[in-house]
């Protein structure tokens, strides 16, 4: 992204974050928490040291005296999914993890001197807030007197129970909004319906007042405070599993929570005083997650591979009703410990089909999952753990998938699954080479086809007058061999179809990124398709081109996202290949450039490129690089 565009985007994000912070603390929020988190995360990616990320919004209101906090009330780093949390946990590496409910209310500091209550201060700007002591004294859970040797602050959250909301304030959007409004009323009316739940205490005189973090909640409870739920867990994965269980319990809780607070049990006063402590994190819930039940498993066959798809009880997820979820492979079923009837956590983070990410519990009566034993072709399936597959090279499903893959690699339009299925089922097309002997009158005679549509389909099929060797290999649909692997082998010196067919496993195993398993699959795959390859070449439908060496973009790789205005994506990919570069379908670690019509967007590919340090080009920059007109 150009510097000018980046600066403009940062300024826009700052304005939006400030506006929504003010609405959150002082008015009616316009967006959900997860949407605010997206704005925050985007600013964090663009400018990690932005000063706005170091401070919190202000909840101060006119008419209340201002008071300073004893300890700054900063904000926490956030993780909105297990992947982000596990990354943080790996960096911090606590010996064990203290986990508390993260209440969805209004933060408060209760100040005491020699055990006697002095004042109650709202979060404010993190350093100074409103003194609402008179209102706090009316709230449930308020404690006026502690043991005499404590001088410091007790931190808690002002919350409204679901019962109070339903009985007295059902007109308010939610419990948090109702609580925020009541706690700042000048007359204090309604504060008797609010509660204070505490989660932390800090002595300003003695850093050794508590031996460990876990001692704080025990002490707070002994002093008469209501406290949040807390537990100690041994590992990061245990925290992830516990979060799933809490999500399942969440609708039955008396108060709203929006995640967990996770920290170590060891005390670190210096870290606690930071505006943004590094050794604790808010592990939040998201509208992209939900709890459901696994009702059944469908096995989807694509080529040789059988993929499990979970059929789940319908659940609302990120604004859509979800009934199916991806399970990837048999090992995932086993590693998660899933059964029919399992209560599960579902996520939807940009996937077309949501994913089953964790197990909440296997209730009594849950049944073992039954795996298919045979392919429809009659062959016994092979369970490799990471895939369940038919080993029969002549399996009709596998043959059909190969023809479909060929058309996809060549980006042939107007040959959909319905048309291809009719040709395959009739026996007319039983291999890739059969496509190139099709006549217009044959296609036109098919139901709902017609001569114009038939002519168009065949024109698209034969529009490629030349084909790169790497595309040719990728189109053969050899298991685990895509265009990138094919290109690595070709660039290692096997630059003709004859050289590839004569190569042995040991010849290829030493190539970077290949290895013995992939080399074996490549060699055996080419050998098994020898007749098919001969037939394709004999059709003489296109010229087979070897690799371009020494081109100006040799060694570079491009990925395209979004629509370009000056050319279609296939044209752009062909252009970079002509110059010696490669085109990739996704953003990966060794990618050279991501080309997009909107470098400032928060799309998944843009986000991944920024994470990996991949250069992002707009269309004008791309055209300059490849010698086109912008």
């Amino acid at each position: 992204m150009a510097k000018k565009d980046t600066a403009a985007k940062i300024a826009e994000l700052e304005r939006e974050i400030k506006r929504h912070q003010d609405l959150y603390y002082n008015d009616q929020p316009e967006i959900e928490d997860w949407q605010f988190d997206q704005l925050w995360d985007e600013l964090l990616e663009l400018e990690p040291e932005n000063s706005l990320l170091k401070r919190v919004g202000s909840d101060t209101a006119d008419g209340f005296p201002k008071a300073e906090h004893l300890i700054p009330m900063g904000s926490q780093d956030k993780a909105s999914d297990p992947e982000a949390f596990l990354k943080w946990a790996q960096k911090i590496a606590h010996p064990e993890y203290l986990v508390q409910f993260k209440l969805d209310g209004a933060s408060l500091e209760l100040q005491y001197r020699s055990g006697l209550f002095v004042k109650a201060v709202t979060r404010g700007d993190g350093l100074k807030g409103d003194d609402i002591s008179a209102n706090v004294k009316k709230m449930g859970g308020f404690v006026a007197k502690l043991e005499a040797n404590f001088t410091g602050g007790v931190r808690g959250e002002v919350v409204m129970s679901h019962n109070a909301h339903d009985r007295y304030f059902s007109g308010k959007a939610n419990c948090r909004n109702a609580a925020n409004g009541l706690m700042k009323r000048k007359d204090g009316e309604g504060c008797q319906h609010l509660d204070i739940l505490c989660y932390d205490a800090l002595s300003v005189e003695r850093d050794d007042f508590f031996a460990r973090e876990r001692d704080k909640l025990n002490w707070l409870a002994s002093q008469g405070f209501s406290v949040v739920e807390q537990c100690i867990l041994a590992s990061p994965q245990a925290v992830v599993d516990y979060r799933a269980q809490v999500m399942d319990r969440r609708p039955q809780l008396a108060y709203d929570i929006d995640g967990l607070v996770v920290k170590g049990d060891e005390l670190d006063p210096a870290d606690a005083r930071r505006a943004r402590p590094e050794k604790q994190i808010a592990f939040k819930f998201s509208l992209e997650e939900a709890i459901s039940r696994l009702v059944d498993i469908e096995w989807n066959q694509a080529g040789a591979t059988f993929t499990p798809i979970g059929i789940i009880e319908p659940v609302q997820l990120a604004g859509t009703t979800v009934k199916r979820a991806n399970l990837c492979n048999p090992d995932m079923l086993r590693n998660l410990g899933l059964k029919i009837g399992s209560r599960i956590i579902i996520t939807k983070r940009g996937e077309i089909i949501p994913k089953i990410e964790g197990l909440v519990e296997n209730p009594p009566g849950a049944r073992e999952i039954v795996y298919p034993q045979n392919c429809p072709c009659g062959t016994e399936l092979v369970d490799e753990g990471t895939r369940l597959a038919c080993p029969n090279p002549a399996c009709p499903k596998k043959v059909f998938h190969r023809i479909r893959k060929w058309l996809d690699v060549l980006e042939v339009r107007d040959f959909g699954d319905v048309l291809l299925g009719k040709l395959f089922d009739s026996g007319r097309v039983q291999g890739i080479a059969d496509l190139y002997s099709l006549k217009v009158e044959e296609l036109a005679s098919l139901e709902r086809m017609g001569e114009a549509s038939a002519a168009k389909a065949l024109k698209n099929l034969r529009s490629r007058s030349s084909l790169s060797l790497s595309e040719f290999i990728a189109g053969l649909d050899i298991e685990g061999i895509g265009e990138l692997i094919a290109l690595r082998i070709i660039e290692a010196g096997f630059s003709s179809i004859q050289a590839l067919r004569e190569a042995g496993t040991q010849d290829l195993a030493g190539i970077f990124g290949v290895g013995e398993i992939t080399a074996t699959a490549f060699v055996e795959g080419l050998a098994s398709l020898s007749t098919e390859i001969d037939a394709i070449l004999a059709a003489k439908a296109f010229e087979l081109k070897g690799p371009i060496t020494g081109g100006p973009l040799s060694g570079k790789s491009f990925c395209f996202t979004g629509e370009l205005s000056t050319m279609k994506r296939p044209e752009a990919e062909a252009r970079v290949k002509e110059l010696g570069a490669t085109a990739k379908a996704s953003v990966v670690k060794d990618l050279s450039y991501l080309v997009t019509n909107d470098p400032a967007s928060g799309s998944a590919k843009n986000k991944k490129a920024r994470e990996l340090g991949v250069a992002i080009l707009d269309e004008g920059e791309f055209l300059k690089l490849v010698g086109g007109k912008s």
Side-chain angles (χ1 to χ4, degrees):
M1 189 189 304
K3 288 184 177 180
K4 184 178 179 181
D5 293 336
T6 301
K9 185 64 176 178
I10 288 171
E12 178 189 350
L13 288 168
E14 288 176 337
R15 287 192 298 271
E16 282 297 286
I17 288 172
K18 289 176 182 177
R19 187 172 73 86
H20 288 300
Q21 280 182 328
D22 182 62
L23 290 170
Y24 179 91
Y25 289 116
N26 302 308
D27 200 344
Q28 182 80 14
E30 291 180 356
I31 61 175
E32 299 288 345
D33 288 357
W34 67 273
Q35 293 171 306
F36 178 83
D37 289 343
Q38 286 183 333
L39 295 174
W40 187 279
D41 291 343
E42 191 172 356
L43 179 59
L44 183 64
E45 287 178 15
L46 293 176
E47 191 173 53
E49 299 304 316
N50 188 287
S51 59
L52 183 60
L53 302 175
K54 310 298 182 182
R55 62 181 188 269
V56 299
S58 177
D59 64 1
T60 55
D62 293 336
F64 288 97
K66 309 306 174 188
E68 293 185 357
H69 293 292
L70 297 177
I71 302 295
M73 294 182 72
S75 57
Q76 295 166 313
D77 279 335
K78 297 183 292 291
S80 297
D81 57 70
E83 182 181 3
F85 168 74
L86 292 172
K87 184 177 180 180
W88 171 85
Q90 183 179 25
K91 179 179 71 173
I92 299 300
H94 287 305
E96 53 187 356
Y97 295 83
L98 184 144
V99 184
Q100 299 173 336
F101 283 2
K102 183 180 181 297
L103 296 163
D104 189 14
S107 297
L108 188 74
E109 181 183 74
L110 302 172
Q111 300 182 0
Y112 294 85
R113 183 180 298 114
S114 299
L116 297 178
F117 175 71
V118 177
K119 64 183 67 169
V121 186
T122 65
R123 177 193 288 272
D125 63 3
L127 299 174
K128 184 184 294 185
D130 292 334
D131 181 346
I132 60 168
S133 301
N135 288 353
V136 166
K137 291 176 181 178
K138 299 178 181 181
M139 298 177 187
F142 169 71
V143 178
K145 186 177 181 180
L146 312 180
E147 59 184 63
N149 63 342
F150 179 79
T151 295
V154 171
R155 290 184 178 171
E157 201 89 353
V158 177
V159 294
M160 177 180 287
S161 69
H162 295 147
N163 285 339
H165 180 266
D166 294 343
R167 185 172 181 182
Y168 302 108
F169 305 100
S170 58
K172 293 289 185 179
N174 54 50
C175 294
R176 184 188 66 217
N177 287 355
N180 283 350
L182 291 176
M183 66 185 280
K184 293 182 180 179
R185 286 189 58 148
K186 305 299 188 296
D187 58 8
E189 182 63 33
C191 286
Q192 67 272 22
H193 300 302
L194 303 179
D195 297 310
I196 304 169
L197 269 68
C198 297
Y199 54 85
D200 199 3
L202 290 165
S203 169
V204 295
E205 295 181 339
R206 292 173 48 195
D207 282 345
D208 63 348
F209 193 92
F210 302 105
R212 297 175 298 180
E213 285 286 346
R214 74 177 76 182
D215 298 333
K216 293 180 179 181
L217 251 61
N218 295 333
W219 179 81
L220 287 167
S222 74
Q223 301 300 304
F225 289 106
S226 299
V227 297
V228 298
E229 184 170 319
Q230 171 177 288
C231 66
I232 300 289
L233 298 171
S235 69
Q237 187 57 50
V239 176
V240 172
D241 295 341
Y242 175 70
R243 176 174 175 267
Q245 295 164 14
V246 173
M247 285 181 65
D248 193 32
R249 293 168 47 201
R250 190 180 175 193
Q252 286 75 49
L253 297 177
Y255 302 97
D256 285 335
I257 66 172
D258 59 0
L260 305 173
V261 174
V262 184
K263 50 190 170 183
D265 193 30
E266 65 281 3
L267 290 174
D268 190 335
D271 186 63
R273 290 185 175 95
R274 291 190 177 102
R276 199 172 186 84
E278 297 176 356
K279 296 186 177 181
Q280 57 180 267
I281 197 168
F283 192 1
K284 301 192 73 176
F285 303 138
S286 167
L287 288 183
E288 296 177 330
E289 297 175 299
I291 300 295
S292 185
R293 186 175 73 89
L294 184 62
V295 175
D296 201 0
I297 296 289
E298 285 184 0
W299 293 88
N300 180 42
Q301 184 179 2
T305 304
F306 288 70
T307 302
I309 302 293
I311 309 303
I312 65 172
E313 287 184 344
V315 64
Q316 286 294 312
L317 196 60
T320 60
T321 300
V322 174
K323 300 178 182 179
R324 298 162 63 84
N326 202 352
L327 280 162
C328 298
N329 56 54
D331 270 356
M332 184 175 179
L333 296 176
R334 299 184 185 104
N335 294 337
L336 289 175
L338 296 181
K339 296 183 178 182
I340 303 299
S342 295
R343 291 190 60 74
I344 49 176
I345 182 169
I346 308 291
T347 63
K348 187 179 182 182
R349 309 187 197 285
E351 296 91 343
I352 296 173
I353 300 179
K355 178 183 176 183
I356 295 177
E357 193 162 279
L359 173 69
V360 177
E361 65 167 348
N362 279 320
R367 297 177 285 110
E368 296 294 332
I369 292 169
V370 177
Y371 293 73
Q373 299 298 311
N374 295 289
C375 178
C377 73
T379 307
E380 185 176 352
L381 299 178
V382 176
D383 188 345
E384 301 172 352
T386 56
R387 65 191 289 263
L388 182 66
C390 174
N392 177 15
C395 173
K397 288 277 190 179
K398 187 182 293 187
V399 174
F400 181 86
H401 192 270
R402 181 179 303 116
I403 301 170
R404 175 76 270 159
K405 179 66 176 290
W406 177 268
L407 293 169
D408 289 343
V409 169
L410 271 63
E411 298 182 325
V412 175
R413 301 182 302 279
D414 299 309
F415 257 92
D417 285 348
V418 174
L419 172 58
L420 188 59
K422 289 177 181 178
L423 294 168
F424 187 80
D425 293 341
S426 69
R428 176 61 180 86
V429 173
Q430 294 296 293
I432 294 169
D434 293 337
L435 293 168
Y436 294 101
S437 64
L438 288 168
K439 306 297 183 184
V440 170
E441 53 269 23
E442 289 182 273
L443 295 187
S445 67
L446 296 174
E447 185 181 359
R448 296 184 179 181
M449 195 64 191
E451 188 169 334
S453 296
K456 184 179 179 184
L458 290 182
K459 180 181 179 181
N460 287 332
L461 172 67
R462 295 165 180 161
S463 63
R464 295 291 298 271
S465 59
S466 64
L467 201 63
S468 72
L469 189 54
S470 58
E471 288 177 308
F472 182 90
I473 297 300
L476 296 175
D477 197 28
I478 301 170
E479 190 70 34
I481 308 298
E483 192 170 352
L484 177 60
I485 293 295
L487 193 61
R488 284 176 175 169
I489 293 172
I490 293 164
E491 290 179 342
F494 301 89
S495 54
S496 69
I497 188 65
Q498 190 62 31
L500 291 172
R501 298 176 79 171
E502 292 175 354
T505 297
Q506 295 308 312
D507 298 324
L508 307 181
I511 298 172
F512 173 76
V514 178
E516 188 167 349
I517 293 175
T518 301
T520 300
F522 185 86
V523 171
E524 292 179 354
L526 281 185
S528 69
L529 294 172
S530 180
T531 302
E532 178 88 71
I533 292 170
D534 288 340
I536 297 170
L537 296 175
K540 297 183 178 179
F542 50 81
E543 178 188 0
L544 191 58
K545 289 187 173 182
I548 297 172
T549 57
L553 294 180
S554 180
K556 302 294 185 182
S557 57
F558 291 76
C559 176
F560 297 86
T561 182
E563 295 297 325
L564 301 178
S565 60
T566 57
M567 65 181 77
K568 296 184 183 299
R569 188 182 300 183
E571 294 176 295
E573 291 177 345
R575 178 63 177 146
V576 299
K577 290 175 183 178
E578 290 170 0
L579 297 172
T582 58
K584 298 186 178 183
S586 58
V587 177
V588 293
K589 189 175 182 180
D590 59 349
L591 184 70
S592 304
Y593 304 103
L594 174 66
V595 181
T596 173
N597 57 6
D598 185 9
S601 90
S603 71
K605 284 184 177 178
N606 281 23
K607 183 176 180 180
K608 187 71 175 292
R610 286 193 286 265
E611 289 174 355
L612 297 176
V614 173
I616 301 176
L617 305 180
D618 61 25
E619 188 167 355
E621 292 168 325
F622 167 69
L623 291 173
K624 288 178 182 177
L625 192 62
V626 299
K629 293 182 180 180
S630 58

